[in-house]
């Protein structure tokens, strides 16, 4: 039996990550789920949030937004519209995005606009959180 | 016969033009390399995406989703036209526009209303001239774009389609086949057609999948994204093709400049020779007269 699984994260602009890991925790559509080696085939939509994986006793974080996870044959593939490793996150940019989103939220009455601003805020918050937890 | 100075001026002018075309050629080749890299980087995503969609399609029945459903009565056709913002790239844009207008004419002949989404200034200008209805226009967007542009275009298309404003949608873009070959391609975007490729991709998964949320839920998440992926691919290809076409055009121009300098230099030398001969004749005949 395999003890590890392959984690791949790809976005339209680049391949963010391809590594052999011990465990992956991902923000699934219906709540967080964990994947160990030899998981049964599983296909899930992802929420905006932070994915983490364990390798050699260390935990690393990756921010993902708008995507899917495909688990099969000891391989988990994350397709995301954007994904950033915690160390690559630009805190200043995320802070600015957060402020902007908060301002928009305060003004918007229109449902669509409101939802868009809320999503933007969520993305900014999760980016900051990823940076924070990764320390 | 042109005077010596005129010819000289002309030679200088052509040489300067050559410098410009040569520089443009080099710029285009640098940009092409970048565009190609982007296509390369996008490929894993697209490949995985098709694989995933294949898995899902293979696993489930053809559950009817509004984006999959072929409408009985097609009244309006949408065309997403991706062109470049700038000219000087040979017949690249002309070919794309021709493809678009011929498709539009064909659809119009069938009694359908044609509406356009123009990405790129050249396409927009042409479509404005031909007076087609344009729902969305993006000019000066091609020089630097990312997935969010495709996202925007695709979202607009999907919304119009779901609202019943469009019954079928095509994308026209310049497919990048090689440095020497770029072909305008007309790709049906909506309703989504299941291709042979997708069916084959799905064969690897005889495994029973667990879906979260339900299959229908996933499909309704995946399909709109599929449209975005298609649009993005079209934009990337158009951008690479544009640069390749410009490279070829500028290469031709540089060579034409060389030819021209050559023939002009010939004329210059001949004229100079003629002038010297006449002068000599004058001197010699003057000397003869003095001697006389």
């Amino acid at each position: 039996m395999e003890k590890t699984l392959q984690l791949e994260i790809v976005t339209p602009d680049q391949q963010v990550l391809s590594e052999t890991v011990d465990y992956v925790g991902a923000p699934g559509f219906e709540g967080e789920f964990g994947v160990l080696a030899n998981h049964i085939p599983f296909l899930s939509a992802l929420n905006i949030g932070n994915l983490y994986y364990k390798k050699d006793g260390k935990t690393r974080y990756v921010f993902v937004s708008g995507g899917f996870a495909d688990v099969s044959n000891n391989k988990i593939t994350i397709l995301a519209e954007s994904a950033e490793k915690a160390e690559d996150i630009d805190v200043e940019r995320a802070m600015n995005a957060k402020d902007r989103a908060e301002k928009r939220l305060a003004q918007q009455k229109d449902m669509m606009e409101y939802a868009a601003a809320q999503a933007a805020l969520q993305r900014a918050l999760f980016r900051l959180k990823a940076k924070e937890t990764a320390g | 016969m042109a005077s010596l100075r005129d010819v000289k001026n002309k030679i200088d002018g052509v040489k300067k033009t050559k410098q410009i075309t040569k520089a443009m050629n080099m710029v285009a080749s640098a940009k092409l390399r970048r565009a190609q890299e982007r296509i390369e980087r996008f490929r894993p995503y697209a490949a995985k995406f098709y694989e995933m969609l294949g898995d899902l399609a293979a696993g489930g029945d053809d559950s009817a989703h509004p984006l999959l459903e072929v409408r009985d009565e097609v009244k309006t056709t949408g065309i997403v036209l991706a062109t470049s913002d700038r000219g000087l790239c040979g017949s690249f844009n002309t070919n794309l526009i021709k493809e678009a207008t011929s498709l539009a004419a064909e659809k119009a002949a069938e009694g359908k209303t044609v509406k356009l989404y123009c990405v790129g200034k050249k396409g927009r200008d042409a479509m404005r001239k031909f007076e087609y209805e344009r729902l969305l226009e993006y000019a000066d967007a091609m020089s630097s774009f990312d997935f969010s542009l495709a996202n925007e275009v695709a979202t607009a298309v999907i919304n119009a389609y779901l609202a019943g404003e469009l019954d079928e949608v095509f994308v026209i873009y310049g497919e990048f086949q090689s440095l020497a070959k770029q072909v305008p391609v007309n790709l049906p975007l909506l309703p989504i057609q299941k291709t042979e490729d997708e069916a084959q991709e799905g064969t690897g998964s005889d495994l029973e999948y667990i879906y979260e949320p339900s299959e229908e839920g996933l499909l309704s998440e995946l399909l709109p994204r599929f449209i975005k992926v298609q649009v993005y691919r079209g934009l990337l290809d158009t951008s690479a093709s544009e640069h390749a076409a410009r490279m070829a055009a500028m290469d031709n121009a540089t060579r034409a400049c060389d030819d021209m300098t050559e023939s002009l230099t010939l004329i210059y030398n001949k004229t100079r020779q003629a002038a010297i001969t006449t002068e000599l004749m004058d001197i010699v005949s003057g000397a003869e007269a003095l001697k006389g």
Side-chain angles (χ1 to χ4, degrees), chain A residues 53-73:
Chain A
Y53 61 95
K54 290 183 181 157
K55 188 188 178 186
D56 307 328
K58 277 187 207 141
T59 309
R60 291 194 179 80
Y61 294 84
V62 183
F63 166 80
V64 289
S65 149
F68 302 91
D70 180 11
V71 184
S72 62
N73 301 325

Side-chain angles (χ1 to χ4, degrees), chain B:
Chain B
M1 195 149 170
S3 83
L4 214 51
R5 207 193 305 138
D6 287 343
V7 183
K8 181 87 177 133
N9 279 343
K10 195 146 194 196
I11 293 176
D12 288 347
V14 173
K15 275 187 180 156
K16 275 187 189 132
T17 311
K18 186 188 154 185
Q19 278 177 350
I20 294 170
T21 56
K22 211 167 178 184
M24 280 185 76
N25 174 294
M26 285 194 284
V27 171
S29 84
K31 282 190 175 164
L32 172 67
R33 205 169 320 125
R34 232 175 313 154
Q36 268 179 308
E37 273 167 22
R38 286 180 73 183
I39 292 181
E40 286 303 320
R41 284 205 302 264
F42 177 59
R43 214 160 266 163
Y45 184 87
K48 293 268 159 58
F49 198 91
Y50 290 134
E51 204 180 298
M52 205 180 268
L53 203 63
D55 281 347
L56 197 62
D61 54 86
D62 291 356
S63 45
H65 186 275
L67 293 179
L68 287 169
E69 177 194 358
V70 180
R71 293 191 184 154
D72 300 334
E73 204 181 353
V74 179
K75 279 191 217 126
T76 42
T77 304
I79 300 175
V80 180
L81 173 63
T83 56
S84 76
D85 281 326
R86 296 172 186 205
L88 290 180
C89 45
S91 56
F92 176 65
N93 286 315
T94 324
N95 286 343
L96 284 172
I97 291 160
K98 223 184 274 166
E99 182 78 27
T101 44
S102 76
L103 178 68
E106 187 189 310
K107 293 294 174 191
E110 290 169 21
K112 295 165 190 164
T113 322
V114 179
K115 293 176 181 176
L116 280 131
Y117 293 83
C118 298
V119 185
K121 205 197 236 161
K122 289 284 158 186
R124 181 203 65 178
D125 291 350
M127 289 306 144
R128 192 179 275 174
K129 202 175 81 195
F130 292 127
E131 292 176 348
Y132 282 110
E133 190 182 339
R134 301 172 309 277
L135 293 177
L136 265 183
E137 301 174 335
Y138 294 89
D140 295 322
M142 291 302 280
S143 53
S144 66
F145 65 95
D146 55 14
F147 196 71
S148 55
L149 177 65
N151 198 349
E152 220 172 292
V153 178
T155 310
V157 170
I158 293 167
N159 286 343
Y161 185 80
L162 291 180
E165 287 162 32
L166 298 173
D167 298 313
E168 58 177 359
V169 183
F170 296 86
V171 199
I172 292 175
Y173 65 94
E175 188 179 50
F176 179 77
Q177 289 189 340
S178 72
L179 265 179
K181 203 169 180 206
Q182 301 92 33
V183 189
V185 171
N186 162 10
L187 179 82
L189 190 64
L190 281 168
I192 295 170
Q193 293 168 343
K194 278 195 180 159
T195 61
E196 292 289 318
D197 270 3
E198 277 168 42
Q200 274 170 2
E201 294 272 5
T203 49
S205 58
D206 326 323
L207 313 150
E208 278 292 311
Y209 262 88
I210 303 177
Y211 297 106
E212 184 185 302
S214 61
E215 265 181 76
E216 294 77 35
L218 264 179
L219 213 55
S220 64
E221 286 276 328
L222 268 166
L223 292 176
R225 209 147 291 173
F226 176 70
I227 304 295
K228 293 172 194 171
V229 167
Q230 298 275 62
V231 171
Y232 190 55
R233 202 184 73 182
L235 293 181
L236 281 180
D237 258 49
T238 301
S239 149
S241 300
E242 175 202 344
H243 296 308
R246 180 163 303 122
M247 253 178 86
M250 287 303 120
D251 202 38
N252 280 338
T254 312
R255 225 172 300 137
C257 282
D258 279 339
D259 291 349
M260 241 167 124
T261 337
E262 205 173 296
S263 64
L264 280 173
T265 313
L266 200 65
I267 295 174
Y268 177 78
N269 287 342
K270 270 188 188 159
T271 323
R272 193 175 61 110
Q273 195 63 57
I276 291 171
T277 313
T278 353
E279 256 172 61
L280 264 180
M281 292 279 276
D282 279 353
I283 294 168
V284 169
S285 55
E288 287 290 321
L290 279 178
K291 235 190 254 170

Side-chain angles (χ1 to χ4, degrees), chain A residues 6-10 14-19 21 51 53 60 62 85 87:
Chain A
Q6 179 74 18
L7 168 67
E8 277 189 36
I9 302 180
V10 287
Q14 62 187 318
Q15 179 147 16
V16 178
L17 196 90
S18 174
E19 266 188 88
V21 301
L51 174 144
Y53 61 95
R60 291 194 179 80
V62 183
K85 285 189 253 182
E87 57 263 35

Side-chain angles (χ1 to χ4, degrees), chain A residues 107-128:
Chain A
Q107 294 164 357
Q108 289 309 328
K109 301 277 182 294
D110 181 40
M111 278 302 280
M112 287 286 276
E113 292 274 351
Y114 192 82
Q118 207 160 29
L121 179 63
Q122 248 186 334
R123 279 196 296 272
L125 286 176
F126 273 114
R127 275 200 173 95
L128 291 173

Side-chain angles (χ1 to χ4, degrees), chain A residues 26-58:
Chain A
F29 191 76
E30 289 166 359
E32 191 188 303
F33 63 87
V35 180
L36 283 164
N38 307 307
H39 196 285
I40 53 164
F42 178 60
L43 192 59
S44 170
L46 296 180
N47 269 337
I48 299 168
N50 292 324
L51 174 144
Y52 64 95
Y53 61 95
K54 290 183 181 157
K55 188 188 178 186
D56 307 328
K58 277 187 207 141

